[in-house]
């Protein structure tokens, strides 16, 4: 089972979370937001370029359709999803 921390922002445009597994492994993900779906996903930095303008799969450059990087305003607007 995976457990995510509360979102952590380093700037208003960069929102991250720590994800831990039941075996003790911990990873960091950058949060992406789908405004039309009111949904957030955490994208691991090993597979996705956290510094691209939009969420992008690193090996191919393919965009994550429907998602953009989450902002602190997004997290505040949907705080009930993180409670």
């Amino acid at each position: 089972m995976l457990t995510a921390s509360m979102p952590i922002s380093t700037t208003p445009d960069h929102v991250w979370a720590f994800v831990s597994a039941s075996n003790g492994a911990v990873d960091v993900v950058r949060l992406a937001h789908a405004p039309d779906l009111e949904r957030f996903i955490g994208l691991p930095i090993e597979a996705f370029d956290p510094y691209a303008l939009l969420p992008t799969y690193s090996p191919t450059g393919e965009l994550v359709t429907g998602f953009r990087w989450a902002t602190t305003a997004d997290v505040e607007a949907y705080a009930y999803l993180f409670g």
Side-chain angles (χ1 to χ4, degrees), residues 26-52:
V26 176
D27 201 356
V28 65
V29 297
R30 185 166 176 194
L31 294 184
H33 175 57
D36 295 338
L37 302 174
E38 298 182 6
R39 182 171 294 168
F40 291 82
I41 57 173
L43 300 175
I45 61 174
E46 294 82 11
F48 295 88
D49 183 355
Y51 300 106

Side-chain angles (χ1 to χ4, degrees), residues 6 8 17 29 70 78:
M6 293 298 288
I8 302 163
V29 297
Y78 297 99

